Amino acid sequence: MIARMTKLFVRTLRESPADAEFPSHKLLVRAGYIRRAAPGIYTWLPLGIAVLAKIERIVREEMDAIGGQEVRFPALLPREPYEATNRWTEYGDNLFRLKDRKGADMLLGPTHEEMFTLLVKDLCSSYKDLPLNLYQIQTKYRDEARPRAGVIRGREFVMKDAYTFDIDRAGLERAYQQMRDAYCRIFDRLGFHYVIVKADAGAMGGSASEEFQAVSPNGEDTFVYSDGGYAANVEAVVTPAPAAQAWDDAPAAHVEDTPDVPTIDSLVAMCEERFPRSDGRAWTGADTLKNVVVMIKNLDGTRTPLVIGLPGDRQVDDKRLEVAVAPGEPDAFTEDDFAAYPQLARGYIGPMKDGAQFLGEDAPAGVRYLLDPRVAPGTTWVSGANEDGHHCLDLVAGRDFTADGTIDVAEVREGDPAPDGSGPLKLARGIEIGHIFQLGYKYAEALGLKVLDPNGKLVTAIMGSYGLGVTRALAAIAEDTYDERGLCWPRQVAPYDVMVVATGKDAAVFEAAQQLCQGLDDAGVAVLYDDRKASPGVKFADAELLGMPTIVVVGRGLAQGVVEIRDRKSGTAREVPVDEALAQVLAEVER
């Protein structure tokens, strides 16, 4: 059936919405694919629905090809299963909670591990029922604190989530690899650039965890890679710790009067002026031990002070910190907090005070002290002396101070060594479009999913979890393929294969355009016909904005017996005889 612009429910905009930052957000709204309903919540219009349907079709084909079976869970869920796994609490403010008319606690599903697990528990009892691969494509809900970037980070989104169930770890590893390969085929077919990176499992739990990142300069995530093949999300990068050093000949630590040097830069300048290094090297921020204090909000509502010691030339990465302290949440250390802990001298916090250990084993009550892995035994530092206007020099880790443990939350930089020794790291931006986990036994144990093994013994099933953002994938495709003129869809996901544009007022032009559209429709080609009485400039601008892969212009060239075929991706155009147009457009579509 031929779609006509005069009938299609679409309105294009010349200006981008004021709240749009990402190109995909701007263009999807301008081109009439989505409309904002509320912050982080969007209405999908016919063109957007068409793209989503094609992405879902590709996902289903590849999931079915590896034995996946589709199910559909409700979005409105009871509290009890999430209470059993502790995620009713762990999800914190990201969970949409509500009560029914009887006062029972309910939630809008952010993800469905619990429901899949209970379904399999209900229907499977033997190893003969496994392995099992179930999936759904469904709307999810998360109350994001800062919804942004259009459909990339919304509070309502479409996701494919799959779960595998096996009798042993070897089966899980086979299922995981099978799913990993299927994801590669899906993203190859969707037609954008992506990288597979090692990831942190976070609140999901489990062992192996990898993300599929759509490479985009506008991406919200940062990942790293090396030319030697290492790739990881920044949250998953493990800092190689230097080897312990001997401190037999190291000078004793000493406290110095250092007024008006509360920052790392002023501390480095003071050391360079007053305490030149014996090795002749200039002092740098990397020689200082910065101690950052944060509060951790615990699940029970309490707040615990945490002091993080790291090289002074590094900043704490917020995302790495969030992962490291989960399920707790980092919070700012306020003026009131400093008043409550006067032992922590603001601007001069350090592991020593009055020549004795101050943080770590002897920290003020309730204060934890954790060190960056680079602060290895035997390394020497300059740090605060926990007294206003004083610093301690020649501090030796392991000799003069210890900590309660390590925490790897410092920013990852371009040029840092890859953890596997494969070379220096490079930084890139990406959009997370898939995340796969070897979940293990976490949910099966919490919910009692057991089956009989071949020996008749009850054993806990082992699970894998595999998420794929359908709406995110749509945005990632748009981000990867757009140009200054508008959207530019790959043919496999475009709402229509061909857009036929009739220009001018001559009835013969519209008749020829109609005949071409009918021929394409008879051949099974999805065609959008711009039959409006608008100016050629408006029609051309809209055709490029909407982004169909092939544009055919029927206009004044018809008098010379030609029409124009434009390739939206390359921007090239060629004139062809009108009686050859149908065959050439069909060849273009099939190429």
Side-chain angles (χ1 to χ4, degrees), residues 402-448:
T402 57
D404 299 308
T406 60
I407 186 168
D408 199 358
V409 296
E411 62 182 338
V412 180
R413 290 180 178 172
E414 188 108 6
D416 285 348
D420 64 354
S422 59
L425 294 176
K426 299 178 181 179
L427 298 179
R429 304 289 294 176
I431 302 167
E432 180 189 340
I433 46 170
H435 201 163
I436 57 178
F437 304 83
Q438 290 187 22
L439 274 185
Y441 299 102
K442 175 179 178 178
Y443 296 92
E445 286 180 344
L447 298 168

Side-chain angles (χ1 to χ4, degrees), residues 197-220:
V197 304
K198 181 180 178 182
D200 185 272
M204 291 286 290
S207 51
S209 173
E210 292 177 293
E211 284 179 1
F212 291 76
Q213 290 278 350
V215 180
S216 170
N218 301 309
E220 60 176 358

Side-chain angles (χ1 to χ4, degrees), residues 40 144 146-155 220-221 319 432 472:
E144 294 281 354
R146 294 176 297 278
R148 58 190 296 268
V151 298
I152 291 178
R153 182 168 291 279
R155 296 194 292 167
E220 60 176 358
D221 290 339
K319 283 193 172 183
E432 180 189 340
R472 273 178 167 252

Side-chain angles (χ1 to χ4, degrees), residues 289-297 303-310 315-316 318 321 325 329-350 358-359 363-370 386 407 409:
L289 180 63
K290 174 165 58 180
N291 293 282
V292 177
V293 59
V294 297
M295 277 290 188
I296 305 301
K297 295 193 293 185
R303 298 169 80 242
T304 304
L306 172 63
V307 181
I308 302 168
L310 71 161
Q315 302 296 326
V316 171
D318 290 341
L321 178 61
V325 302
E329 296 181 10
D331 195 15
F333 204 82
T334 66
E335 294 287 350
D336 290 342
D337 293 324
F338 275 109
Y341 292 89
Q343 308 96 323
L344 300 174
R346 188 172 189 172
Y348 295 89
I349 300 172
F358 175 70
L359 294 174
V367 178
R368 296 180 65 216
Y369 186 46
L370 300 177
N386 277 292
I407 186 168
V409 296

